[in-house]
Amino acid sequence: MLKPTSELGSMACPISVERYPTVTLAHGDGGRLTHELIEGVFHRAFGNTHLHRAHDGAVVDVPGRRVAFTTDSYVVRPLFFPGGDIGSLAVHGTVNDLAMCGARPRYLSASFLLEEGFSMETLWRVVRSMAAAAEAADVEVVTGDTKVVDHGKGDGVYINTAGVGVLEHDVDIHPGAVGDGDVVLLSGDPGRHGLAVLTAREELSFEHEISSDAASVAEPVLGLLAAGLEVHCLRDITRGGLATGLVEIAETAGVSIEIEEKAVPVTPVVRGGCELLGLDPLYLASEGRFVAVVAEADAGAALQVMRGYEISRDAQRIGRVLRDPRSGVCLRTALGTSRVLERLAGASLPRIC
Amino acid sequence: MLKPTSELGSMACPISVERYPTVTLAHGDGGRLTHELIEGVFHRAFGNTHLHRAHDGAVVDVPGRRVAFTTDSYVVRPLFFPGGDIGSLAVHGTVNDLAMCGARPRYLSASFLLEEGFSMETLWRVVRSMAAAAEAADVEVVTGDTKVVDHGKGDGVYINTAGVGVLEHDVDIHPGAVGDGDVVLLSGDPGRHGLAVLTAREELSFEHEISSDAASVAEPVLGLLAAGLEVHCLRDITRGGLATGLVEIAETAGVSIEIEEKAVPVTPVVRGGCELLGLDPLYLASEGRFVAVVAEADAGAALQVMRGYEISRDAQRIGRVLRDPRSGVCLRTALGTSRVLERLAGASLPRIC
C-alpha cells in the first residue's frame, strides 16, 4: 500500500497539473499516460495489494458460498453538492445495494468515464472523496478501468462502481419474500438527497441548507441480521423515492402495503422545500435511507436495533403489509383519507445519482 | 425466465418504437418508464431468475473460496464494426479479464449509460448481441443499471460490465509470478480488432475486409489449467496491443522479455493495412488474443493445449523471459537487429474498446 487512505487528507494532485491540467484522449489509450494516471491517481488513492498486482482483475477471498453482486453508474450533476459528491455517492450507493441483499460489503470496482478536457484537479478531488468513503464503509476498491471520450461526448466524469459482498447469514432477502402481516420500517427522514442535488443544480437557496443524506447503511442492516431478526426485504429508497420503492416491492411480492403518512418522518425543511418547488417528498431520492420489511413479531426489536445506529436513529414504523388481491401501495393521509401511490411518472428529476 | 436467449433471434424491439422511438430522460428517472425499459428490454434479453427477483443486486453461489472480480467500460465507436459491436465486446472483454485471472467466468453485471435521443431499436440490437455473446460464453447477466444523460452529454450508449468468476484451481496467476527462463506464448494473430474498428470508423476499405478478433478466450485458458500446466501470467492484449501488454508484465515482474518478430503471426492483411496507415501491428488492440507466460518445461504441452481450441489454433511461441537487471521488452527483428519496445505513446487510437 503506497499510502493509507486516511493520510491522503487534502494532498495535492499527484499528477503535475502544469503538464496535464486536464485529461487528454491519450490518458485513455492504454499507453504511457494511461499508466501514469492509473499509478498516480487511482493507485495512490485506493492503494492496496490487489491494485498493485497490475492485473486484469482482482482475486479476492470470499468466506462462505454465497456472494452479493451489484452495479451502478453515477451521473449526478452537479458533481459536488451539500453533503457529498459523485465520488462518495458512487461508494455509498453500491455499498448500500450490497447491504440490501443482506451482505457485508467487501470489494468495489471503480470505472471512470472521463471527458477529454476534464480538470485533473477535480478528478483528484473526486477520487480522494471516493477513497475516504470507501475507508469509512470498510470496503476496498480492488479493480478498475479508465476510459476517455472526446470533448463533447461526455460530461466531465461518470463513475461506475460494481460491488461484491459476502452473505454471512443464511438469509434470503428479496421483494418476493414479503408476506401478509409484515411490518414496514423506514430508517430515517426521506428525500434530503434529491432535494440537496436539485437545489445545488438550480442554485436555489433556502433559509436552512439542505444536505444530502448519502451514507452507508450497511451497519444497521448487519445489526438486524446479527440479531437474528426475521427480515424479509430491504430496499434503499433511491431514484423514485420511498413511494416507487414500495410500489416495486408490493408488485413483485403481489401484496398490498398500507403506509401512514403521519408516521413518515419528513423533516420540516424538506417539507417546506417540496411545497415551494411543487415536489412530493415521497418521490424524492434518498441515498442513506432504507426500508426494512420485517415479520410482525420482530418489528419492535428491529426498530430498537436500527435506532441503535447513528445513521438510522430516527427509524420509524411506517406501515404494514395487508392481504389484498390488488397489489399496490395505499397511503392513509393525515386527514384520514386514502390515496393510491403509483411509480414515479412524469415530473422527473434526472441525474440525481 | 421469460425467453431463453437463443430464441431472441432477430426478435423486434419489445418496446413500442412508435411510442418511444428514442430513449428519453424519463427512462432514467427510476419511475414507470425506467421500469418498462428494464422489463421490456433488459430482462427480456438477459432473462434469468436473478434479474426477475427485481432486487438491488444478485446473490449468487460461488463454489470455492476465491473469486475473480473485474470491470471495464466500453466506449467503442462506431457501435457496430466487422466482427462485433459494443454489446458483444462488453461481454468478451470482461469475460477475458476474468479468464486472465485463471477464473471460470460466471456472472456479469451490465450498466447502460444512455444518451437522451438514442435509438430504441439500436439499443435493442446492442442488447440482443450482448445476450447472444453471454450465452456463447456461458455467463449470466445477473444484475444491472440504467442511467440516461441529457442529449449532448453522452454518445448514444456506453456500457459497463463487471464480472465475477470462480477460481477452480489453486493457481496464482499474475505478472509478478513471471520468472527467468519462462516462455511467452501468443494465442493467435494480433491486431485485427484495432484495425477493424479503425477502418470502420474512418470508412476505409481494403481488398479483404478486416474483421475483429473479439471473442471469449476462456476455453483455452481453462484447458491450460485443467491440464495442470504451470501458467505464471496471462494477459489479453487489448489497448496498447501486444507490445504494451508485454512491457507491463516485464516491469511488474522486474524481468526482461525477448520477442522474436518473425514468430509473431501477424496476418498479411493486417500487415498491409498497417503499412498503408503507418501503424505498428504490435501496438494494435486485439480482443480475442492473449499471452500466456509459462514455465519452460511446460511450453510445448501448453502450445498443444492452446492449439486444440479453435480460438487459439494458431498459437505460437514468440519469446522468452531473460535474467536481466533492466526490466523491459526487446524485439529481435527479422533482420537480426534488436529494438526496445516501450509502452504505447503518442499516436493513440482512442475508443477502440
Side-chain angles (χ1 to χ4, degrees), chain A residues 134-340:
Chain A
E135 190 181 37
D138 202 17
V139 292
E140 282 185 301
V141 178
V142 293
T143 189
D145 181 48
T146 311
K147 292 291 182 329
V148 181
V149 297
D150 338 41
H151 183 68
K153 301 295 186 188
D155 195 10
V157 59
Y158 298 132
I159 302 175
N160 175 280
T161 50
V164 169
V166 175
L167 275 285
E168 296 176 346
H169 302 273
D170 184 23
V171 293
D172 191 22
I173 292 169
H174 63 109
V178 168
D180 190 29
D182 284 355
V183 169
V184 180
L185 308 176
L186 175 62
S187 71
D189 65 306
R192 274 197 287 121
H193 176 73
L195 208 55
V197 171
L198 186 68
T199 55
R201 189 190 304 164
E202 307 297 335
E203 296 178 7
L204 306 172
S205 66
F206 293 104
E207 194 178 346
H208 302 279
E209 185 183 75
I210 296 166
S211 184
S212 168
D213 47 56
S216 164
V217 299
E219 284 203 331
V221 168
L222 294 170
L224 287 170
L225 300 180
L229 300 171
E230 198 177 320
V231 178
H232 292 160
C233 184
L234 298 164
R235 175 64 54 109
D236 52 347
I237 53 171
T238 57
R239 279 185 295 182
L242 176 64
T244 304
L246 291 172
V247 171
E248 285 172 357
I249 293 172
E251 288 190 0
T252 307
V255 299
S256 173
I257 296 177
E258 187 180 73
I259 298 297
E260 294 290 337
E261 185 173 34
K262 65 175 185 291
V264 179
V266 179
T267 62
V269 178
V270 167
R271 189 172 302 284
C274 281
E275 277 169 12
L276 268 172
L277 298 168
L279 297 169
D280 184 338
L282 298 181
Y283 287 90
L284 278 180
S286 302
E287 290 283 346
R289 299 289 177 257
F290 68 100
V291 159
V293 187
V294 302
E296 187 170 20
D298 284 349
L303 209 51
Q304 202 170 353
V305 167
M306 288 165 73
R307 288 177 177 167
Y309 296 88
E310 176 63 22
I311 185 71
S312 49
R313 65 175 179 194
D314 298 325
Q316 295 291 340
R317 173 178 176 140
I318 62 165
R320 59 196 175 126
V321 178
L322 299 176
R323 186 191 304 271
D324 189 331
R326 297 158 303 177
S327 60
V329 179
C330 176
L331 184 77
R332 284 166 54 97
T333 70
L335 302 171
T337 61
S338 292
R339 74 175 162 112
V340 172

Side-chain angles (χ1 to χ4, degrees), chain B residues 224-305:
Chain B
L224 287 171
L225 300 179
L229 301 171
E230 200 179 318
V231 177
H232 293 161
C233 183
L234 297 164
R235 176 63 57 107
D236 52 348
I237 53 170
T238 57
R239 281 186 295 182
L242 175 64
T244 304
L246 291 173
V247 171
E248 285 172 357
I249 293 171
E251 288 189 0
T252 307
V255 298
S256 173
I257 296 177
E258 187 180 74
I259 299 297
E260 295 289 338
E261 186 173 32
K262 64 176 187 288
V264 180
V266 180
T267 62
V269 176
V270 167
R271 191 172 301 286
C274 281
E275 278 169 12
L276 268 170
L277 299 167
L279 298 169
D280 184 339
L282 298 181
Y283 288 90
L284 278 180
S286 302
E287 290 284 347
R289 297 289 177 257
F290 68 100
V291 158
V293 187
V294 301
E296 189 173 19
D298 284 350
L303 208 50
Q304 203 171 354
V305 167

Side-chain angles (χ1 to χ4, degrees), chain A residues 25-26 28-32 34-35 52-75 97 100-101 107-111 113 142-150 152-155 158 160 162-164 167 172-175 233-236 239-240 244 248 251-252 343-351 353, chain B residues 25-26 28-32 34-35 52-75 97 100-101 107-111 113 142-150 152-155 158 160 162-164 167 172-175 233-236 239-240 244 248 251-252 343-351 353:
Chain A
L25 278 176
D29 69 5
R32 189 174 57 79
T34 306
H35 179 72
H52 293 302
R53 294 188 110 185
H55 202 18
D56 289 326
V59 173
V60 295
D61 288 321
V62 287
R65 292 181 63 87
R66 292 194 305 157
V67 300
F69 179 34
T70 191
T71 188
D72 257 323
S73 288
Y74 298 87
V75 301
D97 281 347
M100 295 303 105
C101 298
Y107 305 108
L108 296 187
S109 64
S111 178
L113 216 152
V142 293
T143 189
D145 181 48
T146 311
K147 292 291 182 329
V148 181
V149 297
D150 338 41
K153 301 295 186 188
D155 195 10
Y158 298 132
N160 175 280
V164 169
L167 275 285
D172 191 22
I173 292 169
H174 63 109
C233 184
L234 298 164
R235 175 64 54 109
D236 52 347
R239 279 185 295 182
T244 304
E248 285 172 357
E251 288 190 0
T252 307
R343 282 172 208 277
L344 174 67
S348 67
L349 291 176
R351 302 186 61 181
C353 61
Chain B
L25 278 175
D29 70 5
R32 189 174 56 79
T34 307
H35 178 75
H52 293 302
R53 291 188 114 185
H55 201 18
D56 289 326
V59 173
V60 294
D61 288 320
V62 286
R65 292 181 64 87
R66 292 194 304 157
V67 301
F69 179 34
T70 190
T71 188
D72 256 322
S73 289
Y74 297 86
V75 301
D97 281 348
M100 296 302 106
C101 298
Y107 305 108
L108 296 187
S109 64
S111 178
L113 215 153
V142 294
T143 189
D145 181 48
T146 310
K147 291 291 181 331
V148 181
V149 297
D150 339 39
K153 300 295 185 186
D155 194 9
Y158 298 133
N160 175 280
V164 169
L167 275 282
D172 192 22
I173 292 169
H174 64 111
C233 183
L234 297 164
R235 176 63 57 107
D236 52 348
R239 281 186 295 182
T244 304
E248 285 172 357
E251 288 189 0
T252 307
R343 281 173 210 280
L344 175 67
S348 66
L349 292 176
R351 302 186 63 181
C353 60

